[in-house]
Amino acid sequence: MFFERHQGGERAVLVQLQLGGAERDLSLLEFEELVASAGAESVATVTGSRSAPHARTFVGEGKLEEIADACQTHGAEVVIFNHALSPSQERNLERTLSCRVLARTGLILDIFAQRARTHEGKLQVELAQLTHMSTRLVRGWTHLERQKGGIGLRGPGETQLETDRRLLRVRIKSIQARLERVRNQREQSRRARRRAELPVLSLVGYTNAGKSTLFNRVTASRVYAADQLFATLDPTLARVDIEHLGPVLFADTVGFISDLPTTLVEAFKATLEETANASLLLHVVDVSATNRDELMADVETVLGEIKADGLPQLVVLNKLDLLEQAPRIVRNEAGIATAVYLSAATGAGIDLLFEAIRERLSVALFDEEITLDPHRARLRAALYELGAVCSEAWEPDGSSRLHVRLPLADWRRLNP
């Protein structure tokens, strides 16, 4: 776009080190799934351990030779690190290996760029890419390194670099202004929902936990769902009428991942605000994952970054069909539903999910017995139209006694 780089293909050598002092081991399987999601073919994997990253090349000389040999043997044109690399480390590695070098952040950005479908999603991805690129512009101008300055030695290198930086700044400001308008539009929509007291249930969770499959199951939608990382990028909202509760909004959002790049969190702030303003978070978890506690902790970390960690939360333990267990609701000592075991793929346990949602949102319900005189027939008809009448009995004087259950906002609207 703004600078020259090595032309690369899709054959990749993967590099992952276990660094001393790391809180937990990195998942090689997840790294391989990320690479596959980006469309690359993994031809070799180089692993090892170091007490600390090498300041110049991240890996030591011996490991660097091993990577170079793997690239030459397999004809790889890109080396992908499951780590964050500094711009100078990427530049030094590319010079030594004579091929493209990609860090974990760049890999995730590439996947997001492929999956963005809506105009807003594309803007958010471009903003993240440009922000990431702005620290790495100098890599494209290494062929002008000899133009140090001085009489007769000055060249266009610095001028071109400054031109690129200016173009980046202008484009970033333009995208930020457009996203600000999107954020204002979303805020107007949220204000309208708050006035209507329409509850919003936001599906959050680690990537590939089954959020989109669950969203399709409960809303009868056809959102793209696949067994791959970051299948969903653009948020989707759908209205669902839950029996004995009324209408609610389900929001399907982008999945989280460990070490989610801060540039992505910042760029997707307009989208993630849907999560931060939810009435109830449905934390979808892959119950079959062996490290599910660590994955849940990663999600909580991102929720903290977007200031959504204090919202009410219901844990949805999905993919129960892989364990061949029965669906169930888990309650705390106070009898409040805290988790639901279900399978979005088969639909087993969806009724229990609705039951738990009704319990958690019941504070916003009007659940009473009322008596209506014969002249209130219009209100009675409206209650039946909403499906709010649980039972009805007639009094000798012709009035009707109804047990009604409906959202408090609807009751106030019908009976001001």
Side-chain angles (χ1 to χ4, degrees), residues 295-316:
L295 304 185
M296 293 175 69
D298 288 330
V299 173
E300 293 294 343
T301 299
V302 180
L303 290 176
E305 291 182 22
I306 61 176
K307 297 180 173 57
D309 50 338
L311 295 177
Q313 192 174 123
L314 177 66
V315 178
V316 180

Side-chain angles (χ1 to χ4, degrees), residues 301-334:
T301 299
V302 180
L303 290 176
E305 291 182 22
I306 61 176
K307 297 180 173 57
D309 50 338
L311 295 177
Q313 192 174 123
L314 177 66
V315 178
V316 180
L317 294 143
N318 188 28
K319 304 187 181 181
L320 194 63
D321 51 302
L322 300 179
L323 301 183
E324 298 182 354
Q325 295 181 8
R328 62 188 185 277
I329 296 179
V330 178
R331 305 178 188 276
N332 61 15
E333 295 177 352

